[in-house]
Amino acid sequence: MSLFSANIKAPLADRMRPHTLAEFVGQSAVIGQGRYLERMIKEDKVPSLIFYGPPGTGKTTLAHIVAAAAESQFEEVNAVSSGVADLRKVINAAKERRMATGVKTILFIDEIHRFNKAQQDVLLPFVENGTVTLIGATTENPFFEVNSPLLSRMKIIRLESLQVEDIEAILRRALADEENGYGKQELTADDEGIRMLAEVSGGDARIALKMLEQAVALLNGQKHISSETAREVLSEAGRRYDKKGDQHYDVISAFIKSMRGSDPDAALHYLARMIEGGEDLKFIARRIVICAAEDVGLADPNALVVAMAAAQAAQFVGFPEARIPLAEAVCYIAAAPKSNSAYVAIDNATRDVRAQNCGRVPAHLRDASYKSAKVFGHGVGYKYPHDYPGGYVEQEYLPEELKGRVYYQPSDHGIEERIGKRLDSLRKKRT
């Protein structure tokens, strides 16, 4: 029987949760035979843990399995709806239980990233002295969301999205299970239909089982789930995108890297993911503009013009039409020659400004627009380039302390090759 509800009216995902590691599907890299978690459970030495991963990968289920295997009292708190008073109540009960019966307590905190610093600090001494074994579950990167002192006392278990084959196995098990699934109804399903549900689930077992429930509801007394039945429940299921979680950061990272890597097809895929997930239009447009400046740069200065025009056009027309100018800019940037020379140059210049004495602005370059400026030598000796052939004249522009410093190193990509040749000739005149 499940550790959770055996009530047939409960959601299928709740009824089908495994209650031993042997029943758990997927995550073999961390809970497989001989792996860390399996060994710790076997030795009854499970430390405080953080299960970190996308939704539907088994974080809550694993917490229950660990507690059952350790023969510990399981106490669950949700960080969204609980506060310090709730934590103290559980901790005090854990103290009394340990003293009276010797039974250990596992405190499971779902969405632990929702606790603020003060709430997390309450836990620290009791994790330290073993009053509770803390298991936290989070979809957010714990290195950003959990206090360092608490994090240092916990082992992070990284869970990945389940493989399609894992999801298929879970769905097949739900169809066959007579106690908690559909075994007594003797339902069957197409391999294609099961595969479709598994693929669209995005590695989330909860979503896959929810879609299976919907497919069963559409049968109208029939016994077979066909690919056509599966298609009926897929129209919105594929739109999974967390605008505030790792999905947000991972997708935008892949989006930028695809444009930088000159793969317009991949870049368009990630653009579509963000648009379908409801990502903020301005956020997408800003990343496109940044990529045009940082990664295309002077190899094709027109990329920045295209990016800015697309950003303005997209905001002017709004979604759904905004996808068109955004796609145009993405394709242009991805296909353009690449140079990050301007990005590297400003970073190198900034590094000098922050790290060393850069000296004063040379006197001949200082502002000479006000009365008596020449008394201080400001502007004296400045040569106006337009007064000379070719609009160029040799003179020093950097402070004395940085004389000879070169920040901008043009690449030989695209238009920048021509820029580089001109700069080389000018720099040689100054040396």
Side-chain angles (χ1 to χ4, degrees), residues 85 87-98 126 131:
L87 291 177
R88 294 196 184 280
K89 182 178 179 180
V90 171
I91 289 167
N92 290 334
K95 287 181 186 176
E96 294 174 4
R97 185 180 304 111
R98 188 69 177 268
F126 304 105
T131 299

Side-chain angles (χ1 to χ4, degrees), residues 225-268:
I225 299 172
S226 65
S227 57
E228 288 75 18
T229 308
R231 284 193 186 92
E232 288 188 66
V233 299
L234 298 186
S235 58
E236 298 296 324
R239 300 184 180 185
R240 296 187 65 243
Y241 182 78
D242 180 0
K243 291 188 285 184
K244 295 184 179 179
D246 280 354
Q247 280 262 338
H248 166 83
Y249 297 106
D250 290 345
V251 172
I252 195 63
S253 175
F255 176 58
I256 293 167
K257 288 171 182 172
S258 298
M259 286 191 289
R260 181 184 298 145
S262 300
D263 189 334
D265 303 304
L268 287 169

Side-chain angles (χ1 to χ4, degrees), residues 322-376:
R323 74 190 189 283
I324 303 169
L326 292 178
E328 181 180 343
V330 165
C331 291
Y332 190 101
I333 291 166
K338 303 297 188 296
S339 172
N340 70 343
S341 58
Y343 167 72
V344 171
I346 187 58
D347 277 5
N348 288 339
T350 301
R351 192 174 298 114
D352 274 357
V353 169
R354 291 174 177 174
Q356 70 177 77
N357 174 21
C358 296
R360 300 186 66 192
V361 173
H364 64 286
L365 300 181
R366 293 177 197 168
D367 179 25
S369 62
Y370 61 95
K371 188 177 181 181
S372 302
K374 290 186 178 181
V375 173
F376 301 105

Side-chain angles (χ1 to χ4, degrees), residues 195-216:
R195 168 66 62 148
M196 289 168 64
L197 296 178
E199 287 179 340
V200 176
S201 71
D204 187 326
R206 187 184 300 109
I207 284 180
L209 289 167
K210 181 179 179 181
M211 290 191 295
L212 180 61
E213 277 189 297
Q214 295 171 8
V216 171

Side-chain angles (χ1 to χ4, degrees), residues 383-389 391-392:
K383 300 173 184 176
Y384 186 56
H386 296 291
D387 290 341
Y388 296 84
Y392 175 79

